[in-house]
């Protein structure tokens, strides 16, 4: 297996089970190569605590911890929210759009360090291997990529744990709580164990399962209101106060979390062909999507709104499939940006036990005209005009009927 040409490897390092054992595994299998660990900070929080000491202790020569939070939110999260992109109607793409930015930074560091290869800990069954490698190909098309899960001797997470114990590598998990998790500023995913059977209800109220909030049953009995102000599709104020992009997501996570908002249970179609079940916590993101959608209701004309919703599915597929750095995604983002020119205004939402309830929306560019829409008497809409409209609109149906073609 060893490639004697590989002397220095840059590893995407999270400190979780997979990447913890990859460092000694690389050194064993690639002639004691130098391993440079890189952690892209996209909001993992306490998961980064003690990471440098752990990486060095397990064999890495150094650890880069790169703060990518602001870039992550403004250049990846916000464009996806503006597009209204939701994968298969439920998944808010938390892992999907975090991978390209991390992979891009991996390439930058690999070039800086003169590395021979980039390594990731993604499994051969998952989507992340595709997302990482497409991004690496975009910025370093000739870079060697090492994916241990495709070649190493371990066949399960239990065998990985046994190897970690053998190598005296400390882990924050055990065999009983060994969910596969991915956490960032936007979300937390849970996979594995009892969740692998879709017949099992997730244990939301089990201590330690939910980390970003509470279950709807445990949320307060009193609703909480939240107001978001947008400028050209981007939320700029929370409850009337200006807030930075990262802080916005953090505060929305707190608000949504305590109200049981944003818990999703989905059996999704993975890019690699299988169906997989996961539970996602996205409290702040769920609020942000809801508010943005509500504002578009009054700011976008019918044709643009409908076309944009169709485009959103394709945009979500591209993000999910790891095709962030592609001409089509960039062109779609350009279109989306043009639709957001007048998506400015204020949205009020009521949060109650996992529910998000519309509570009011205003915009200086609202296309809603109360005088036209009213059921009361008005002087701007001639209802007699509708007769001629219906005659022309229904003409094709009338012609087919007269020809006896309607079954």
């Amino acid at each position: 297996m060893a490639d004697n040409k590989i002397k220095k490897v840059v590893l995407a390092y999270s400190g979780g089970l997979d990447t913890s054992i990859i460092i000694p595994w690389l050194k064993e299998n690639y002639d004691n190569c130098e391993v440079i660990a890189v952690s892209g900070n996209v909001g993992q929080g306490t998961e980064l605590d003690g990471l440098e000491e752990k990486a060095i202790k397990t064999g890495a020569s150094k650890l880069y911890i790169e703060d990518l939070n602001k870039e992550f939110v403004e250049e990846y999260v916000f464009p996806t929210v503006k597009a209204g992109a939701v994968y298969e109607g439920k998944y808010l793409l938390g892992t999907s759009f975090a991978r390209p930015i991390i992979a891009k930074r991996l390439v930058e560091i690999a070039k800086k360090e003169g590395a021979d290869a980039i390594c990731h800990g993604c499994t051969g069954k998952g989507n992340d291997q595709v997302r990482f490698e497409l991004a690496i190909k975009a910025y370093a098309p000739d870079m060697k990529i090492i994916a241990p899960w495709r070649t190493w001797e371990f066949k399960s997470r239990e065998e990985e744990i046994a190897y970690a114990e053998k190598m005296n590598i400390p882990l924050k998990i055990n065999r009983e709580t060994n969910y596969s998790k991915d956490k960032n500023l936007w979300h937390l995913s849970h996979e594995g164990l009892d969740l692998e059977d879709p017949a099992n209800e997730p244990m939301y109220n089990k201590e330690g399962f939910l980390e970003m909030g509470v279950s709807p049953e445990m949320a307060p009995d009193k609703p909480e209101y939240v107001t978001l102000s947008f400028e050209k599709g981007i939320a700029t104020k929370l409850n009337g106060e200006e807030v930075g992009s990262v802080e916005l997501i953090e505060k929305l996570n707190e608000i949504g979390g305590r109200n049981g908002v944003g818990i999703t249970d989905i059996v999704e179609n993975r890019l690699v062909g299988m169906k997989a079940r996961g539970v996602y916590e996205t409290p702040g993101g769920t609020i942000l999507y809801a508010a943005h959608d509500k504002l578009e209701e009054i700011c976008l004309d019918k044709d643009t709104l409908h076309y944009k919703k169709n485009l959103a599915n394709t945009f979500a597929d591209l993000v999910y499939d790891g095709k962030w750095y592609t001409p089509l995604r960039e062109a779609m983002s350009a279109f989306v940006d043009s639709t957001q020119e007048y998506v400015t205004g204020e949205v009020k939402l009521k949060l109650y036990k996992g529910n998000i309830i519309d509570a009011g929306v205003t915009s200086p560019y609202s296309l809603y005209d109360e005088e036209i829409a009213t059921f009361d008497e008005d002087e701007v809409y001639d209802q007699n005009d509708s007769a001629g409209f219906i005659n022309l609109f229904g003409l094709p149906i009338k012609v087919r009927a007269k020809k006896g073609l309607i079954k």
Side-chain angles (χ1 to χ4, degrees):
M1 180 187 299
D3 186 341
N4 293 330
K5 294 181 180 179
I6 296 179
K7 304 296 184 184
K8 185 183 293 188
V9 179
V10 165
L11 168 66
Y13 183 72
S14 68
L17 175 58
D18 294 328
T19 57
S20 292
I21 68 171
I22 281 177
I23 295 176
W25 183 89
L26 283 171
K27 298 182 80 67
E28 280 186 344
N29 289 273
Y30 287 89
D31 196 24
N32 199 34
C33 65
E34 180 182 358
V35 179
I36 298 171
V38 178
S39 293
N41 178 7
V42 285
Q44 299 93 312
T46 57
E47 289 185 7
L48 298 172
D49 295 347
L51 214 56
E52 183 174 13
E53 180 183 358
K54 181 177 180 180
I56 301 300
K57 186 177 180 180
T58 52
S61 63
K62 67 176 75 170
L63 171 68
Y64 286 87
I65 297 180
E66 301 291 290
D67 187 355
L68 305 175
N69 281 286
K70 191 172 187 293
E71 182 182 354
F72 172 51
V73 174
E74 296 180 1
E75 297 187 22
Y76 296 79
V77 173
F78 282 171
T80 305
V81 173
K82 286 192 294 184
V86 180
Y87 185 69
E88 297 188 337
K90 297 179 76 173
Y91 173 41
L92 300 186
L93 299 164
T95 302
S96 307
F97 50 33
R99 297 312 188 215
I101 185 175
I102 294 172
K104 182 181 178 183
R105 188 56 57 93
L106 285 172
V107 170
E108 293 169 351
I109 292 174
K111 289 180 176 180
K112 172 185 173 183
E113 291 282 352
D116 305 302
I118 292 175
C119 178
H120 63 73
C122 308
T123 75
K125 289 185 175 181
N127 302 302
D128 281 344
Q129 58 181 334
V130 182
R131 297 164 183 155
F132 269 114
E133 294 186 31
L134 291 190
I136 292 169
K137 290 179 187 299
Y139 288 96
D142 297 322
M143 180 68 69
K144 171 77 173 178
I145 298 173
I146 300 174
W149 259 106
R150 299 175 194 160
T151 59
W152 65 13
E153 62 272 27
F154 311 120
K155 304 302 180 185
S156 67
R157 288 176 67 82
E158 287 72 22
E159 291 184 10
E160 289 184 276
I161 292 174
Y163 179 78
E165 292 171 345
K166 173 186 172 183
M167 303 298 290
N168 296 315
I169 297 172
L171 299 174
K172 295 181 180 180
I173 61 174
N174 56 50
R175 287 176 171 81
E176 287 70 41
T177 61
N178 185 22
Y179 287 106
S180 176
K181 297 187 178 185
D182 177 77
K183 184 178 183 180
N184 59 41
L185 181 66
W186 185 250
H187 90 154
L188 173 65
S189 65
H190 309 257
E191 294 179 320
L193 296 181
D194 55 299
L195 298 179
E196 291 188 348
D197 184 351
N200 292 331
E201 180 182 4
M203 296 181 289
Y204 295 130
N205 292 323
K206 181 180 179 181
E207 185 177 356
F209 183 77
L210 295 178
E211 297 182 25
M212 297 183 72
V214 300
S215 68
E217 298 96 323
M218 301 299 291
D221 293 331
K222 182 180 179 181
E224 179 174 356
Y225 287 87
V226 61
T227 301
L228 282 165
S229 302
F230 290 81
E231 293 182 13
K232 296 186 176 182
I234 299 294
T236 57
K237 292 181 180 180
L238 175 60
N239 294 330
E241 296 184 4
E242 289 191 10
V243 61
S245 57
V246 174
E247 186 182 5
L248 170 72
I249 304 302
E250 291 173 337
K251 288 188 174 182
L252 285 178
N253 280 336
E254 293 176 8
I255 296 170
R258 63 175 172 254
N259 286 285
V261 166
I263 303 170
T264 299
D265 182 355
I266 178 175
V267 176
E268 69 195 58
N269 289 291
R270 282 186 178 173
L271 174 60
V272 293
M274 71 185 71
K275 288 184 181 290
R277 198 264 190 101
V279 171
Y280 298 102
E281 298 180 61
T282 322
T286 303
I287 296 171
L288 190 59
Y289 265 89
H292 182 262
D293 285 351
K294 189 62 182 178
L295 185 57
E296 285 192 327
E297 284 184 11
I298 66 170
C299 292
L300 296 185
D301 64 278
K302 174 185 173 181
D303 287 345
T304 301
L305 181 65
H306 287 194
Y307 186 82
K308 184 172 176 290
K309 287 186 179 298
N310 290 331
L311 175 144
N313 288 327
T314 301
F315 196 105
D317 286 345
L318 290 175
V319 177
Y320 188 86
D321 293 348
K323 294 183 176 180
W324 187 268
Y325 304 117
T326 61
L328 180 56
R329 199 284 305 165
E330 293 170 359
M332 284 186 167
S333 286
F335 166 79
V336 168
D337 285 344
S338 72
T339 69
Q340 302 299 290
E341 181 69 22
Y342 299 108
V343 181
T344 294
E346 188 173 276
V347 180
K348 187 177 183 180
L349 301 171
K350 179 165 67 174
L351 312 180
Y352 182 65
K353 290 189 174 296
N355 294 290
I356 300 178
I357 304 164
D358 295 333
V361 57
T362 61
S363 170
Y365 305 111
S366 175
L367 300 179
Y368 176 82
D369 190 319
E370 185 176 354
E371 188 175 5
I372 292 176
T374 183
F375 283 99
D376 294 331
E377 182 179 356
D378 68 84
E379 298 180 357
V380 297
Y381 188 95
D382 188 343
Q383 298 195 30
N384 289 322
D385 290 343
S386 62
F389 165 74
I390 294 171
N391 285 335
L392 295 179
F393 191 64
L395 184 58
I397 296 175
K398 182 177 180 179
V399 171
R400 282 176 57 82
K402 295 184 72 171
K403 295 289 185 178
L405 301 178
I406 301 294
K407 296 181 180 180

